[in-house]
């Protein structure tokens, strides 16, 4: 962009001054122009323009820190966005069998139970469950285990599983042991 700061000299062709009209004037250029133009309208316009420059300078001075923080936040957001893109690309490119750890979001109860059942089905010798507040719903999930797999549940006195439920389970799907402890495990 071209601007008027002071009258320039263009010595290459041996003549001074500006050879093209400016698109914008700086504050100093307006001050110089107001010294040349003597009509009342030109003086009033020059004063208004100078006031606008002063207001703009004050605005930038007092809000400069805010603009700097906004730019910093923008750069951080772009950085986080790139990191999220990497994570999401990895999640999309991996097959479900390749995951060693699953991620569940709110409301995905079925998926978490499905994963637990898959883990229980793959157990070959023993399953150890540690849960302070276990109830009989775990027995329904444990019914999917392999026949020779032993199950040990370590729970607290606050659990809602009783001896009758344990005995029924052991008659159908043998070897469930429940150990109740007085201390909190979680």
């Amino acid at each position: 962009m071209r601007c008027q700061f002071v009258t320039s000299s263009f010595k290459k062709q041996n003549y001074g001054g500006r050879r093209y009209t400016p698109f914008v004037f700086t504050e100093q250029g307006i001050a110089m122009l107001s010294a040349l133009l003597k009509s009342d309208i030109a003086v009033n316009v020059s004063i208004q323009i100078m006031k606008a420059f002063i207001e703009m300078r004050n605005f930038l001075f007092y809000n400069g820190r805010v603009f700097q923080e906004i730019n910093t936040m923008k750069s951080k957001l772009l950085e986080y966005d790139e990191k999220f893109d990497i994570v999401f690309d990895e999640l999309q490119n991996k097959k479900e069998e390749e995951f060693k750890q699953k991620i569940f979001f709110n409301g995905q109860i079925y998926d978490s139970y499905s994963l637990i059942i898959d883990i229980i089905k793959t157990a070959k010798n023993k399953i150890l469950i540690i849960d302070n507040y276990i109830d009989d719903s775990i027995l329904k999930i444990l019914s999917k285990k392999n026949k020779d797999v032993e199950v040990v549940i370590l729970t607290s006195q606050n659990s809602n599983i009783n001896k009758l439920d344990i005995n029924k389970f052991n008659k159908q799907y043998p070897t469930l042991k429940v150990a109740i402890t007085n201390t909190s495990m979680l």
Side-chain angles (χ1 to χ4, degrees):
M1 298 213 8
R2 295 180 243 162
C3 70
Q4 170 67 41
F5 180 75
V6 293
T7 54
S8 63
S9 61
F10 192 70
K11 296 291 181 187
K12 190 173 184 182
Q13 296 178 357
N14 294 328
Y15 52 84
R18 181 170 302 281
R19 296 293 173 240
Y20 50 87
T21 56
F23 293 129
V24 67
F25 286 95
T26 63
E27 187 176 354
Q28 290 82 9
I30 293 295
M32 289 175 55
L33 183 63
S34 66
L36 295 175
L37 301 174
K38 299 295 183 189
S39 74
D40 290 337
I41 295 174
V43 171
N44 286 334
V45 169
S46 296
I47 290 171
Q48 294 301 320
I49 293 173
M50 292 299 284
K51 286 181 180 178
F53 273 109
I54 291 169
E55 287 294 321
M56 190 169 44
R57 188 182 323 116
N58 288 338
F59 178 80
L60 292 174
F61 177 76
Y62 290 116
N63 296 310
R65 188 175 287 162
V66 173
F67 292 134
Q68 185 178 11
E69 288 180 21
I70 289 172
N71 283 335
T72 304
M73 290 173 67
K74 266 175 74 174
S75 64
K76 284 183 181 180
L77 283 174
L78 289 172
E79 181 181 326
Y80 293 148
D81 193 38
E82 290 172 3
K83 289 179 181 179
F84 277 124
D85 285 343
I86 291 169
V87 170
F88 290 138
D89 287 344
E90 284 293 320
L91 287 173
Q92 287 178 345
N93 293 335
K94 296 250 183 195
K95 293 181 181 171
E96 194 169 313
E97 292 79 31
E98 294 177 5
F99 284 115
K100 294 181 180 174
Q101 182 176 355
K102 302 285 184 174
I103 299 172
F104 299 106
F105 301 99
N106 285 340
Q108 290 182 306
I109 296 169
Y110 174 78
D111 293 335
S112 62
Y113 280 115
S114 173
L115 175 65
I116 291 170
I117 290 170
D118 289 345
I119 292 171
I120 287 172
K121 284 180 179 178
T122 59
K124 299 197 185 319
N125 297 323
K126 190 174 192 176
I127 298 171
L128 174 63
I129 298 173
I130 302 172
D131 190 348
N132 283 337
Y133 303 100
I134 204 153
D135 60 9
D136 63 344
S137 66
I138 192 68
L139 299 179
K140 293 173 189 167
I141 295 172
L142 287 171
S143 68
K144 309 290 186 197
K145 73 177 183 69
N146 292 325
K147 187 169 85 170
D148 297 327
V149 174
E150 178 186 4
V151 178
V152 177
I153 298 175
L154 188 57
T155 187
S156 70
Q157 293 175 345
N158 298 330
S159 66
N160 290 329
I161 195 166
N162 58 41
K163 288 185 181 184
L164 181 63
D165 293 330
I166 297 167
N167 290 337
K168 280 184 189 178
F169 183 85
N170 276 329
K171 284 181 183 175
Q172 263 186 315
Y173 316 100
T175 323
L176 168 67
K177 297 177 184 174
V178 177
I180 297 177
T181 180
N182 294 334
T183 60
S184 176
M185 296 163 287
L186 298 176

